[in-house]
Amino acid sequence: MKHVLVIRLSALGDVAIMVPVLRGYAASNAQVTFTVAGPPMLAPLFEGMGNVHFLGLKKKQSFLKIYKALEAVGADTVVDLHKVNRVGMALVLMRLRHLFFSGFHIYSLRKGRFSRWMFLHHWCRRPRKPQYVRYDDVFRRAGLNGGERLKQKGEKTDASTDTHLSPCTPHPTPLIGVAPFSQHEGKVWPWENVELLVQMLSDKGFRVLLFGSKNEAPKLESLASKQAIVSSVAGKQSFAEELQIIKGLSLMVSMDSANMHFASALGIPVVSIWGATHPDFGFYGYGQNRDDALCANLPCQPCSAYGQKACRYGDYRCLKAITPEMVLELILKKLGIQAFKHSSNQAF
């Protein structure tokens, strides 16, 4: 094995989950070249890995174009972490092309389909294997070295001792990131709760940075303008620059969204808020403590795996059940702060 092609064309969070897994395998297999095919904007996530190259490839194109791009890499082993139809059809063509080459192998993700009904009752919930462990399984089946340590780590129910994460140490002026949006409404905390949490953090002297897309920037700018030590970075930097900002955070507050996984990939502790989805589906951040995923655990929860379904009651009570006080309490606990007095009124 000389060249491994790793495929994950979407979604942003799922690609970010792959980063720490690939980092470990790239370090343990220095003699192997890895090429990652993924969303073009996420290239900065893979910088700094000496034997890892990045191929920007959009999912929404014909399988023939995907095939040509993947075939041009010249890999002898394919690790398919996506397993969707377009990629599958492209891989069929690659397999046919290399039919008489015994050294060409393809290993695909085993998704492990699941039903929300197994989560209906609290006492019989069976947590699904974390996504990063599923990724790890594919690399191990491909015969790469270095998977056992990650496998054992992934089986822990509490990853709070994971050395991947930066320690939450008290700081005169902690910097807290808040990413209040997600792709689907079922994963978005009520805006009035976001406003109250930001105000509470500001009142206690925390510096706060708001994260979001360009479309969300006006709303975040309006919120930031109400507090002296709150700023918005939405739509102002490139993705690479935003990652550098995340690296400097003491902690990130996020929904079940890509920002949770970006922070996790960079070793930043995350307090996450869950609504229509559930952390036991296996999509919480790599290396994060499961107890830091705030979830109301209502009988109707989860109502979907990805949060795209409308609330059957129309009020998203699962999200409303998570209060700003609950989030603040967990932030203080993570930072090792019992009481935090306001220390600065200056913007940064």
Side-chain angles (χ1 to χ4, degrees):
M1 185 186 308
K2 297 180 180 180
H3 194 164
V4 177
L5 170 63
V6 183
I7 306 170
R8 181 74 217 199
L9 304 187
S10 68
L12 301 185
D14 290 303
V15 178
I17 293 174
M18 177 181 65
V19 174
V21 181
L22 178 61
R23 184 185 294 118
Y25 278 99
S28 300
N29 299 271
Q31 76 285 2
V32 177
T33 298
F34 294 84
T35 296
V36 178
M41 71 165 287
L42 296 188
L45 280 173
F46 300 91
E47 292 178 355
M49 304 183 203
N51 55 334
V52 176
H53 305 285
F54 187 82
L55 170 65
L57 194 60
K58 295 181 180 180
K59 175 186 174 183
K60 293 185 178 180
Q61 55 183 314
S62 71
F63 75 92
L64 287 175
K65 289 184 178 180
I66 293 176
Y67 160 70
K68 291 178 181 179
L70 298 180
E71 183 63 41
V73 171
D76 53 56
T77 301
V78 177
V79 173
D80 175 20
L81 301 181
H82 205 168
K83 200 175 181 182
V84 294
N85 290 339
R86 289 186 185 183
V87 173
M89 293 171 70
L91 293 181
V92 167
L93 294 181
M94 292 184 72
R95 195 183 294 275
L96 290 174
R97 179 178 174 84
H98 298 273
L99 187 61
F100 300 106
F101 176 42
S102 60
F104 182 79
H105 301 282
I106 297 175
Y107 302 88
S108 297
L109 178 72
R110 294 169 180 169
K111 290 190 173 183
R113 296 296 181 182
F114 50 87
S115 169
R116 84 166 196 89
W117 297 110
M118 65 186 292
F119 290 85
L120 184 59
H121 299 292
H122 301 316
W123 59 84
C124 68
R125 280 188 176 139
R126 297 172 57 190
R128 186 173 180 259
K129 185 184 294 185
Q131 187 75 349
Y132 55 82
V133 176
R134 291 182 178 276
Y135 288 168
D136 179 69
D137 288 343
V138 187
F139 282 105
R140 288 191 303 111
R141 284 193 283 113
L144 291 160
N145 301 321
E148 288 304 316
R149 182 183 63 83
L150 180 61
K151 176 67 175 178
Q152 294 169 2
K153 180 191 303 181
E155 289 174 346
K156 294 180 181 179
T157 57
D158 182 354
S160 58
T161 58
D162 193 336
T163 55
H164 163 75
L165 294 177
S166 302
C168 279
T169 54
H171 188 279
T173 53
L175 182 58
I176 308 297
V178 178
F181 296 106
S182 185
Q183 182 179 2
H184 302 295
E185 186 179 0
K187 300 196 292 185
V188 180
W189 208 27
W191 184 247
E192 57 270 21
N193 285 357
V194 176
E195 291 180 310
L196 184 54
L197 175 65
V198 170
Q199 180 181 337
M200 293 166 66
L201 290 171
S202 179
D203 289 345
K204 287 185 174 294
F206 291 98
R207 298 177 299 155
V208 179
L209 286 180
L210 305 176
F211 292 82
S213 67
K214 288 184 179 180
N215 293 335
E216 298 153 354
K219 197 169 185 178
L220 294 175
E221 284 290 351
S222 176
L223 176 58
S225 67
K226 299 176 183 178
Q227 305 291 337
I229 53 176
V230 177
S231 294
S232 171
V233 299
K236 295 180 179 179
Q237 285 85 18
S238 66
F239 180 63
E241 292 169 334
E242 194 165 297
L243 289 178
Q244 291 300 316
I245 294 173
I246 293 176
K247 284 183 180 180
L249 296 177
S250 303
L251 181 143
M252 171 71 86
V253 178
S254 172
M255 308 301 106
D256 171 19
S257 67
N259 280 291
M260 171 178 64
H261 298 298
F262 296 153
S264 298
L266 297 172
I268 303 302
V270 178
V271 170
S272 53
I273 299 170
W274 298 70
T277 57
H278 198 286
D280 283 349
F281 272 160
F283 293 111
Y284 63 90
Y286 170 80
Q288 300 293 340
N289 187 336
R290 168 62 179 79
D291 293 336
D292 297 335
L294 291 170
C295 183
N297 290 316
L298 301 180
C300 60
Q301 204 176 1
C303 58
S304 69
Y306 308 108
Q308 76 276 26
K309 294 183 180 180
C311 175
R312 69 182 68 179
Y313 303 110
D315 58 6
Y316 292 102
R317 57 191 62 182
C318 54
L319 287 162
K320 292 181 178 179
I322 306 298
T323 67
E325 290 78 11
M326 293 167 60
V327 178
L328 179 62
E329 181 181 0
L330 186 51
I331 291 173
L332 295 175
K333 179 181 177 181
K334 290 291 293 180
L335 293 173
I337 299 173
Q338 297 299 321
F340 193 90
K341 294 184 178 180
H342 185 77
S343 60
S344 174
N345 287 314
Q346 297 182 357
F348 52 95

